[in-house]
């Protein structure tokens, strides 16, 4: 079972990323549950999306000790990092996260927002870049299932740019 917490600030598309991740898992025949929360500020306030993926039935629908934490902002890391498993995977967006406490041992620092801007022209695609990174580092779902789930959810006319964002996240790790 994989417990995943995607965290950042409102407006970064992490709720959508969690939905896409869960749908990719379901498409592969796995069990998946997705939940979300965000501050009253919505845009700019803290935001998190949590996904549990398992080959077996999921008995409790909340993430308690994530195996993976994606932190897209420093505030998100500070707020949501405390309960990451000791051997858990921490992926930080090095564009926006400057200080990673020493207690985290399995850290991948990736300039997710910068890659989105450089490759796709807009920071808007950072959530999809992050999904590519997660797929590459965890193998929790296949790249093909993730691409299918991304393309099913993104607005018409943005499919090629989102495919590029996903590939960028996957290749740049």
């Amino acid at each position: 079972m994989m417990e995943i917490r995607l965290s950042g600030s409102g407006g970064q598309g992490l709720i959508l990323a969690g939905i896409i991740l869960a749908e990719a898992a379901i498409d592969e025949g796995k069990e998946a549950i997705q939940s979300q929360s965000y501050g009253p500020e919505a845009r700019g306030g803290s935001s998190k999306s949590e996904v549990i993926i398992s080959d077996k039935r999921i008995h409790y629908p909340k993430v308690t000790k994530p195996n993976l934490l994606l932190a897209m902002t420093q505030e998100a890391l500070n707020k949501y990092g405390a309960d990451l498993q000791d051997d858990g995977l921490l992926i930080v967006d090095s564009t926006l996260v400057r200080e990673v406490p020493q207690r985290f041992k399995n850290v991948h620092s990736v300039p997710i927002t910068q890659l989105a801007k450089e490759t796709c022209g807009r920071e808007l695609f950072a959530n999809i870049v992050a999904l590519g990174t997660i797929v590459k580092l965890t193998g929790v779902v296949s790249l093909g299932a993730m691409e299918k789930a991304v393309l099913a959810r993104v607005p018409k006319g943005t499919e090629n740019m989102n495919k590029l964002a996903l590939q960028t996240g996957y290749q740049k790790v």
Side-chain angles (χ1 to χ4, degrees):
M1 183 162 62
M2 185 102 183
E3 293 189 13
I4 301 165
R5 179 174 293 147
L6 311 176
S7 64
S9 63
Q12 286 185 309
L14 296 171
I15 305 298
L16 176 61
I19 292 168
I20 290 170
L21 180 56
E23 288 176 347
I26 291 168
D27 188 57
E28 289 192 328
K30 298 177 182 178
E31 299 287 321
I33 294 176
Q34 187 272 336
S35 63
Q36 60 210 26
S37 71
Y38 41 88
E41 310 88 354
R43 285 212 180 270
S46 59
S47 165
K48 71 175 175 175
S49 179
E50 296 180 331
V51 183
I52 301 173
I53 298 173
S54 180
D55 292 326
K56 299 176 185 167
R57 173 170 274 165
I58 300 168
H59 296 286
Y60 185 69
K62 292 287 192 187
V63 168
T64 54
K65 290 289 279 180
N67 310 82
L68 183 151
L69 172 66
L70 169 70
M72 295 288 289
T73 64
Q74 186 71 53
E75 179 185 357
L77 176 58
N78 297 345
K79 185 172 185 176
Y80 299 120
D83 52 359
L84 180 66
Q85 290 182 14
D86 290 339
D87 61 345
L89 173 62
L90 173 62
I91 302 171
V92 297
D93 181 350
S94 60
T95 312
L96 302 171
V97 177
R98 299 289 180 211
E99 296 176 25
V100 177
Q102 291 291 335
R103 80 167 193 85
F104 298 111
K105 304 297 180 224
N106 189 7
V107 180
H108 285 269
S109 186
V110 182
I112 295 168
T113 300
Q114 180 183 334
L115 287 170
K117 194 168 187 177
E118 288 174 358
T119 307
C120 303
R122 298 181 66 193
E123 295 177 359
L124 173 75
F125 296 97
N127 61 338
I128 306 302
V129 172
L131 287 174
T133 300
I134 289 168
V135 168
K136 178 68 175 250
L137 290 173
T138 67
V140 68
V141 296
S142 69
L143 183 59
M146 182 61 76
E147 183 175 306
K148 182 179 174 186
V150 166
L151 296 179
R153 280 283 176 174
V154 298
K156 297 290 179 232
T158 67
E159 295 93 345
N160 288 339
M161 203 55 77
N162 278 286
K163 279 173 72 170
L164 177 62
L166 184 64
Q167 287 291 334
T168 297
Y170 188 84
Q171 293 170 354
K172 297 292 183 177
V173 178

